[in-house]
Amino acid sequence: MQQASSWILDSSLILVAAGTFLLAVSAAVVGSFTFLQKRSLVGDAVAHSILPGVAAAFLFSGIKDPWWLMLGALISGWLSLSLMDFLSRKTKLSQDTAIATVLSVFFGIGILLLTYIQHLESGHQSGLDQFLFGQAAAMKSRELWIYGGLALVLILCTLIFFKEFKLLSFNPDFAQTLGLPVRGLRILMNSLMVLAIALGIQAVGVVLMAALLITPSAAARNFTDRLKAMIVIAALIAGFSALLGSAISFSAKGMPTGPWIVMCLSILALLSLFLAPKKGMLARMLLQKRHQQKINDENLLKAFYHYGERHANLAQWIQLKDLEEVRDFAEEDQSKVLKRLIHKGHLLRKGEAFQFSRAGLDEARRVVRLHRLWEMYLSQRLRLKSDHIHPNAETMEHIISPEIEAQLLEELDYPDKDPHQSPIPYRS
């Protein structure tokens, strides 16, 4: 407790945490639009391409001034972005090839310049090599004010142009028809992305910058389909990861801040992949299991109905072995499905025999009706042969909603029999 209090009151930790928080949040906000436009690799290439600009700015100015380094990063980032666009449009290179080419060339030049700087008399003290993996722990108050102020400008610009960026991300053609300056908005959006990357490398470096730009949005996308909510969640994930990564780095000497921030981001992203309420793997597995149980339940009810229909007595008691006359089931599956149907009140049990309840008979009629209606549609409207319609109907009968059923009945004019001349059971 005492140690935690000392951390909270430590000015160095406050400085680093505040800086990384602002840089991470601004990168997540701008990166949401980059993620939605499926330009994640472009963001990674720009991050790597900024390195020669930073090194060139140091060589030109001779000092490690944030404004000079930022100017060099912006010029280099924009140059790489323009070159990727030029190679994609004017040559036969595919877009991913153009991205990979620009990334490797610019990053290679950046490494060469850094190596050259290290051999200069004052080069080994420049600290530019920290741009590879970030230098958040070495951030000073002047840099915090500059980078933090620019981060706030980024967030403010995104809020001001939110509607335009949203339209440009989802439907640029519609934005053009509305008379919006699409080209100008695209330049503005790209400039904000380059600026966000140039700021973000202060925290995590050029190598890991793509994670800071894209991972929060990718994680947030698992929780919502609404853009505003996605941006807010992405900003919260990025901000929390920045604070947690800074605290972990501060607690252990020699632990780099940037990689820890990215590690926290990655853990949260993995958790979202598994645990997100609707789109997470766990939720989808449970949904798939429930859907498979529904199919098994309806298939067994349908088998009871077919047996009763064949013997002209839907109220009779039927044993499991009797169902082999109409359909083959695995014995293990049958026992589980029967337990569920009895629990739902769809079947009654007397010894080894089973009988429809009132609700169970209505449900069986519904499934058989949907199957035969869909067979009629496939036969009459799509002109499929009679031996091709049954497998398709077996699948569709489980997913037809009441609204689609009503449309089918109207489209087919309430038929009495299916293509095999079997009666279509309606509600009694």
Side-chain angles (χ1 to χ4, degrees):
M1 187 67 183
Q2 187 176 0
Q3 189 179 23
S5 301
S6 66
W7 289 359
I8 294 173
L9 296 176
D10 192 287
S11 58
S12 299
L13 176 60
I14 294 174
L15 186 71
V16 173
T20 55
F21 178 84
L22 288 172
L23 297 180
V25 169
S26 62
V29 170
V30 176
S32 296
F33 293 99
T34 306
F35 172 76
L36 288 175
Q37 294 179 73
K38 301 180 180 178
R39 304 185 71 199
S40 303
L41 286 178
V42 173
D44 190 30
V46 171
H48 283 76
S49 303
I50 275 177
L51 188 60
V54 172
F58 177 81
L59 287 172
F60 180 78
S61 65
I63 56 173
K64 188 188 171 188
D65 182 80
W67 289 111
W68 278 109
L69 299 184
M70 186 61 61
L71 179 62
L74 290 175
I75 293 174
S76 184
W78 247 111
L79 186 62
S80 67
L81 202 60
S82 302
L83 188 57
M84 279 185 274
D85 183 55
F86 174 81
L87 290 175
S88 299
R89 288 188 298 106
K90 300 295 183 181
T91 69
K92 292 184 178 180
L93 294 178
S94 61
Q95 188 178 24
D96 59 337
T97 305
I99 292 171
T101 302
V102 172
L103 184 153
S104 55
V105 170
F106 273 68
F107 191 59
I109 295 173
I111 294 295
L112 287 176
L113 290 177
L114 276 184
T115 306
Y116 174 73
I117 290 172
Q118 293 302 313
H119 287 84
L120 294 178
E121 187 175 346
S122 59
H124 63 283
Q125 296 178 348
S126 66
L128 290 186
D129 56 322
Q130 294 174 339
F131 276 89
L132 287 174
F133 299 105
Q135 55 173 0
M139 193 178 296
K140 299 176 181 176
S141 59
R142 179 170 179 263
E143 293 170 332
L144 171 64
W145 283 109
I146 294 174
Y147 297 143
L150 289 173
L152 291 175
V153 170
L154 267 178
I155 296 172
L156 186 62
C157 284
T158 307
L159 293 176
I160 293 173
F161 291 96
F162 175 78
K163 289 184 179 177
E164 289 79 4
F165 288 169
K166 178 181 178 182
L167 199 56
L168 196 62
S169 299
F170 289 107
N171 197 337
D173 293 334
F174 184 58
Q176 186 85 45
T177 59
L178 291 178
L180 292 177
V182 172
R183 181 176 173 77
L185 287 171
R186 204 179 292 281
I187 291 174
L188 177 60
M189 189 182 290
N190 288 338
S191 300
L192 293 179
M193 182 183 72
V194 174
L195 179 58
I197 293 172
L199 290 172
I201 62 173
Q202 313 298 324
V204 298
V206 297
V207 176
L208 301 175
M209 184 54 215
L212 197 63
L213 188 72
I214 301 301
T215 306
S217 309
R221 187 70 177 84
N222 292 316
F223 290 98
T224 181
D225 291 324
R226 297 172 55 228
L227 179 57
K228 284 184 180 178
M230 190 188 97
I231 292 176
V232 171
I233 294 172
L236 289 174
I237 291 174
F240 177 74
S241 299
L243 295 178
L244 185 59
S246 300
I248 294 174
S249 172
F250 187 80
S251 65
K253 288 185 177 180
M255 298 296 280
T257 307
W260 267 114
I261 294 174
V262 173
M263 182 64 70
C264 294
L265 270 176
S266 303
I267 291 173
L268 291 177
L270 286 174
L271 288 176
S272 73
L273 285 175
F274 282 99
L275 303 177
K278 292 182 179 178
K279 298 182 178 178
M281 292 178 64
L282 182 61
R284 282 186 292 170
M285 287 170 60
L286 292 175
L287 180 64
Q288 189 176 21
K289 182 180 179 181
R290 286 197 295 270
H291 184 63
Q292 187 58 52
Q293 288 178 346
K294 177 176 181 288
I295 291 174
N296 293 339
D297 292 355
E298 291 181 350
N299 282 340
L300 191 57
L301 282 177
K302 197 169 61 174
F304 273 98
Y305 187 90
H306 285 160
Y307 184 86
E309 184 181 47
R310 179 172 294 186
H311 296 273
N313 184 5
L314 293 171
Q316 66 180 306
W317 290 90
I318 303 171
Q319 295 190 9
L320 287 179
K321 62 182 182 181
D322 298 331
L323 297 181
E324 296 175 0
E325 182 180 325
V326 293
R327 184 164 185 152
D328 292 329
F329 288 100
E331 187 174 346
E332 184 180 355
D333 291 340
Q334 271 189 335
S335 62
K336 292 179 181 177
V337 178
L338 280 169
K339 286 181 182 177
R340 281 200 303 272
L341 291 175
I342 292 171
H343 180 73
K344 289 179 180 177
H346 287 168
L347 287 180
L348 305 174
R349 181 167 191 168
K350 183 191 292 182
E352 297 298 322
F354 302 87
Q355 184 191 45
F356 279 128
S357 66
R358 179 68 186 177
L361 183 57
D362 288 344
E363 180 65 9
R365 281 198 177 106
R366 184 189 69 82
V367 179
V368 173
R369 180 171 66 252
L370 295 180
H371 179 96
R372 292 175 180 173
L373 282 174
W374 191 248
E375 283 190 333
M376 281 294 291
Y377 184 84
L378 293 174
S379 176
Q380 289 190 1
R381 296 296 185 267
L382 301 185
R383 304 295 180 187
L384 294 183
K385 294 181 180 178
S386 59
D387 57 342
H388 285 66
I389 58 178
H390 180 74
N392 287 298
E394 279 283 303
T395 303
M396 289 299 296
E397 69 194 24
H398 302 293
I399 57 177
I400 292 178
S401 64
E403 292 77 15
I404 297 177
E405 180 188 356
Q407 291 180 1
L408 274 177
L409 286 170
E410 186 175 354
E411 176 72 17
L412 299 170
D413 196 21
Y414 299 89
D416 295 326
K417 294 183 178 179
D418 71 359
H420 309 292
Q421 298 304 308
S422 299
I424 296 177
Y426 291 97
R427 295 181 180 87
S428 58

